[in-house]
Amino acid sequence: MCDVKMIVFNRFLRQLINIKPLRSNYNQQCCRNARCMSTIKDFRKRTETFSFNAEQNTDADADVFGTLTDNTEINHKLDRLPPEDDDKIEYDKDEQHKRLHITEYHKIIQELIKQHKIADAIDVLETRMLKDEKAKPDYYIYNLLIGTCGKVGYVQKAFHLFNQMKKSGIKTTPATYTCLFNACANSPYKDDALKRAKKLHNLMSLKSIEPNIFNYHAMIKAFGRTGDLLTAFSLVDEMLTKKYKLKDETFNFLLQACISDKEAGFRHALLVWRKMILKRVRPSLYTYNLLLKCTRECGLGDEFETRKVIGQIIDDPHLLMTESKLEEMNTSEKDIPNTLLCNDNENKLSLIEENRPNLLDVKPNFGNIVGITEIKSPEERLILLGGCSGFLKNMKINKIKPEIKVFTQLLEIIPPTLSAEKLLLKEIYKNKVVVDIDFCNILIKKRSLRFDYEEAKNVLILIKSENLSVDVVTFGVLALGCKNKNEAKDLIKMIADHGFRVNAEVLGTMLAQACYHFNFAYVIYVMNMVKHEEIKPNKKFMDRLNRFDTTIKDLMKKRQNREQETPDFIQSYYFKEGYRKFQNFYKKWLLEVTVDEELHPWDQFKNHRK
């Protein structure tokens, strides 16, 4: 019986020694195994004692295994044994610089992107994963980084990552192509972006990749924003051929394409809107904002093409307006834009509204239309959309509540008169929309540009009544009204009182006013402020000073040669003396200031390592 128990115990001992340690307690278990090896002889010497004690324990059941575990003395002694010389543990290099699980890399990159640390996020992939830790990225990491580069227009890096992805044999997904086309759409370099978009589109065709609706939208946006309107519109036709349902997003991307054509974009936008009505797609708030932006920035283009478009809108989509019919409709009421909101007479105003054209309605009303050749300014183009009231009425029909951005854009389009601005403010309060500081800044700018400086300052009362806080832009537009040095000093004091610091943009606006009025004392004061505040003047500031100097030299030269009539004040003593002081100061000033260098738009996304 003792021999059997000895055999069982020896087996148990060998199992104890050969137990594989768990990874989480690797160091502690290795030490214990080493100590076991060094004291194995001591264990064997004690087996006789264990067997003797087992024989004496006659009450214990001989068939029950594990009765020896009640004696824990040996385990305590093992734990107290000192480490021996050969108890050193070898670490793997991979253990010291351990690779993370792929989801951990996802979280790290996502967090950096959330903090707008794009350069660091790219560095996690290119340096930490690929070079240092030899970790293999997946398609999700590449799509995440390509998408982030796409949002900021970093098209070069987006395509570089795409090429890395292909070389590594990582399968691309439809989202990859969507991100790449978005990068092309947002790139500041339109020509380069258009070439890349065309190559990518051809690559998809060669690989027989069937675009989904998100791919189509990204492609329309990319080709539209880079100026290839023909491809953008043809992609919509392709969507219709493949039975894709057109959404308001589809038409929004087409309107973005229209905005890229500054010469004839408004004409294209009218056609897009008409297509939208025919397809019974309800416009969104974003659609109206894009339409206003197009009205503000784009023209009608060629007169003959515009006649054709108007013919399609007022009669039938397939019927062109004849020349004679159009001539009948053209009136000589060129003053409609100016009289639209300037007259306070309610009867006359309602009469104008009844006869005003509106191309936004399902059945366009062409009462009194202005001559096509006369439609050039934004306020005249707004008349074709029913004017301010007609535009807001159309939004109400489509159950879209206007927000402050709509009114801010309308403010930039309406006629530059005080009465038009007051009527717009009435519409804002009527629609229970709260004004913001951006709206107030545009209002100050609009009044300052027409030299109505007193009314521009009155906007500060509106800002205070609405409990808004002024910002740096507010002071920038107020600087448009600083005609002399004293007014400039007052504004700079106001800036300091509000806890702001004067910047290059504010001083640049003051410099423009000083140069316009040939006020040398004012010019020198602004230049002194640049030096005193230790501001780095930008390229625009320096160009304006250089043009000012060149303009005066040219005027003085023409005056001497009597080539053409020049202002008489150029010959005055005060003007010549003022210019002499300016020249002397200008030469010294150039040596004392540091010009702010223009950075490449992609430099902020690069990790500059020493």
Side-chain angles (χ1 to χ4, degrees):
M1 186 67 182
C2 290
D3 292 336
V4 172
K5 289 188 176 183
M6 278 294 296
I7 292 167
V8 171
F9 178 74
N10 285 336
R11 284 180 181 174
F12 171 73
L13 190 60
R14 283 197 297 272
Q15 287 175 358
L16 178 66
I17 293 168
N18 294 324
I19 286 175
K20 292 182 180 179
L22 293 172
R23 293 185 66 86
S24 59
N25 297 320
Y26 181 73
N27 297 347
Q28 188 178 356
Q29 293 293 341
C30 281
C31 290
R32 285 185 178 179
N33 288 345
R35 290 166 189 164
C36 286
M37 291 297 290
S38 65
T39 58
I40 191 68
K41 292 179 181 179
D42 186 48
F43 278 1
R44 286 174 179 170
K45 285 178 183 178
R46 293 170 187 247
T47 53
E48 293 179 2
T49 307
F50 281 130
S51 60
F52 177 74
N53 291 337
E55 285 177 359
Q56 284 185 338
N57 191 5
T58 54
D59 297 332
D61 188 355
D63 294 328
V64 177
F65 177 76
T67 56
L68 295 178
T69 54
D70 293 336
N71 192 341
T72 57
E73 181 186 355
I74 300 301
N75 287 332
H76 290 308
K77 287 184 177 181
L78 279 172
D79 289 336
R80 288 197 296 270
L81 284 174
E84 300 195 10
D85 295 336
D86 58 348
D87 280 352
K88 293 178 182 177
I89 298 169
E90 295 290 333
Y91 285 97
D92 245 359
K93 289 183 180 177
D94 284 343
E95 288 290 328
Q96 288 182 340
H97 210 82
K98 205 172 184 180
R99 283 199 295 264
L100 302 174
H101 191 271
I102 193 68
T103 54
E104 294 297 318
Y105 291 116
H106 292 174
K107 289 176 184 176
I108 291 167
I109 292 171
Q110 284 171 340
E111 188 59 34
L112 289 169
I113 290 169
K114 196 185 289 185
Q115 296 171 14
H116 305 290
K117 296 178 180 179
I118 298 169
D120 293 336
I122 294 169
D123 196 56
V124 170
L125 169 67
E126 295 188 333
T127 304
R128 180 173 175 178
M129 291 184 69
L130 296 178
K131 290 182 181 178
D132 297 342
E133 299 176 10
K134 308 296 181 187
K136 188 177 180 181
D138 60 357
Y139 75 93
Y140 180 78
I141 286 177
Y142 276 105
N143 284 353
L144 195 62
L145 291 173
I146 291 171
T148 304
C149 291
K151 286 178 184 176
V152 296
Y154 193 6
V155 67
Q156 187 184 52
K157 179 54 85 175
F159 275 85
H160 176 72
L161 291 168
F162 176 60
N163 291 330
Q164 267 187 30
M165 198 175 180
K166 290 189 293 180
K167 286 176 184 177
S168 302
I170 298 169
K171 188 179 178 181
T172 56
T173 65
T176 312
Y177 295 98
T178 301
C179 295
L180 288 167
F181 281 115
N182 281 332
C184 295
N186 296 326
S187 174
Y189 304 105
K190 300 303 179 187
D191 293 337
D192 172 68
L194 181 58
K195 288 177 185 176
R196 292 178 187 272
K198 284 180 177 178
K199 284 182 181 178
L200 190 62
H201 188 218
N202 292 335
L203 180 67
M204 289 180 74
S205 300
L206 288 170
K207 288 189 172 184
S208 301
I209 297 170
E210 185 65 31
N212 58 29
I213 192 165
F214 301 107
N215 294 147
Y216 273 117
H217 284 169
M219 285 191 282
I220 293 165
K221 182 166 67 169
F223 284 106
R225 287 189 183 180
T226 52
D228 191 352
L229 269 71
L230 191 63
T231 305
F233 279 86
S234 67
L235 285 166
V236 178
D237 295 334
E238 193 178 309
M239 287 176 71
L240 290 169
T241 306
K242 293 179 180 179
K243 308 294 183 183
Y244 278 108
K245 187 179 179 181
L246 300 186
K247 301 180 179 180
D248 61 300
E249 291 98 328
T250 314
F251 290 100
N252 288 344
F253 290 127
L254 280 176
L255 285 173
Q256 289 182 28
C258 296
I259 292 167
S260 68
D261 185 356
K262 302 303 178 188
E263 187 179 343
F266 184 68
R267 185 180 76 225
H268 302 317
L270 292 175
L271 280 175
V272 170
W273 182 268
R274 191 52 40 187
K275 276 282 183 186
M276 203 171 181
I277 292 173
L278 290 172
K279 294 292 177 184
R280 297 186 178 182
V281 177
R282 179 175 288 181
S284 64
L285 180 63
Y286 189 49
T287 311
Y288 282 103
N289 276 320
L290 287 170
L291 193 59
L292 284 174
K293 188 175 182 182
C294 198
T295 307
R296 186 178 81 246
E297 297 180 6
C298 307
L300 281 165
D302 181 71
E303 184 180 344
F304 177 72
E305 292 296 328
T306 304
R307 290 172 190 270
K308 286 166 63 178
V309 169
I310 291 177
Q312 291 177 17
I313 293 171
I314 64 169
D315 287 332
D316 188 88
H318 306 290
L319 181 67
L320 298 180
M321 181 182 285
T322 60
E323 196 74 22
S324 58
K325 187 175 180 181
L326 187 66
E327 289 300 327
E328 287 175 11
M329 298 185 69
N330 285 346
T331 66
S332 58
E333 295 182 54
K334 300 177 185 179
D335 295 329
I336 289 178
N338 294 326
T339 59
L340 175 61
L341 295 173
C342 298
N343 199 330
D344 292 329
N345 191 312
E346 298 257 345
N347 295 327
K348 286 185 178 180
L349 208 64
S350 61
L351 183 65
I352 290 172
E353 286 181 0
E354 285 176 8
N355 295 323
R356 181 188 299 146
N358 192 336
L359 301 182
L360 297 183
D361 288 342
V362 177
K363 292 181 180 179
N365 173 34
F366 263 66
N368 292 332
I369 183 172
V370 296
I372 290 174
T373 54
E374 303 299 326
I375 303 173
K376 293 178 181 178
S377 65
E379 58 262 28
E380 288 164 347
R381 291 192 288 271
L382 182 62
I383 293 299
L384 292 179
L385 307 181
C388 181
S389 58
F391 189 88
L392 293 171
K393 185 180 176 182
N394 190 272
M395 290 186 74
K396 191 175 181 180
I397 291 168
N398 285 301
K399 298 179 181 178
I400 304 295
K401 190 179 186 306
E403 59 172 19
I404 191 59
K405 188 176 180 181
V406 171
F407 288 105
T408 303
Q409 292 204 83
L410 280 169
L411 178 61
E412 295 186 83
I413 301 172
I414 60 173
T417 62
L418 187 62
S419 55
E421 291 163 3
K422 286 181 177 179
L423 280 172
L424 184 66
L425 284 168
K426 283 182 183 178
E427 287 287 351
I428 290 173
Y429 295 126
K430 183 181 174 182
N431 285 276
K432 297 179 181 179
V433 176
V434 180
V435 298
D436 61 7
I437 193 62
D438 292 331
F439 178 87
C440 295
N441 289 342
I442 295 294
L443 187 57
I444 294 170
K445 182 181 177 182
K446 197 173 177 74
R447 291 177 178 182
S448 295
L449 288 174
R450 65 172 184 261
F451 310 112
D452 193 353
Y453 299 122
E454 287 304 315
E455 287 297 336
K457 289 177 183 177
N458 287 340
V459 180
L460 294 173
I461 300 170
L462 174 65
I463 291 171
K464 190 175 181 180
S465 66
E466 294 293 328
N467 294 320
L468 299 172
S469 299
V470 294
D471 57 15
V472 178
V473 180
T474 313
F475 298 116
V477 289
L478 281 171
L480 289 166
C482 297
K483 303 180 294 298
N484 54 56
K485 188 170 75 173
N486 291 332
E487 290 177 353
K489 282 181 177 180
D490 291 340
L491 182 60
I492 288 171
K493 186 179 181 300
M494 189 192 297
I495 292 171
D497 291 342
H498 280 83
F500 290 93
R501 184 171 176 264
V502 69
N503 59 21
E505 283 71 26
V506 173
L507 292 175
T509 307
M510 290 177 175
L511 180 67
Q513 285 286 353
C515 293
Y516 177 78
H517 291 97
F518 292 99
N519 190 331
F520 294 110
Y522 190 5
V523 172
I524 291 170
Y525 170 75
V526 173
M527 293 165 72
N528 257 325
M529 282 301 300
V530 168
K531 194 168 65 172
H532 179 264
E533 295 292 330
E534 297 180 352
I535 295 170
K536 290 183 178 181
N538 52 30
K539 187 177 181 295
K540 189 177 178 181
F541 190 97
M542 300 304 293
D543 288 345
R544 184 170 278 128
L545 269 178
N546 187 46
R547 281 199 309 273
F548 177 64
D549 187 38
T550 306
T551 301
I552 296 172
K553 285 178 181 176
D554 290 343
L555 285 171
M556 294 180 80
K557 188 177 179 181
K558 286 175 183 177
R559 182 75 178 183
Q560 287 177 354
N561 298 335
R562 296 181 180 179
E563 293 177 10
Q564 62 182 44
E565 289 186 8
T566 53
D568 293 333
F569 66 81
I570 291 173
Q571 284 295 102
S572 68
Y573 169 78
Y574 296 105
F575 183 85
K576 289 180 179 179
E577 186 64 20
Y579 180 58
R580 185 186 64 78
K581 288 179 180 178
F582 163 74
Q583 273 194 317
N584 292 336
F585 184 82
Y586 186 35
K587 288 174 185 176
K588 293 178 183 177
W589 183 82
L590 286 172
L591 300 173
E592 294 171 348
V593 296
T594 306
V595 180
D596 190 18
E597 294 181 7
E598 284 191 0
L599 295 175
H600 194 281
W602 295 338
D603 278 354
Q604 58 182 314
F605 310 125
K606 293 177 182 177
N607 216 326
H608 300 285
R609 295 175 176 272
K610 291 184 180 179

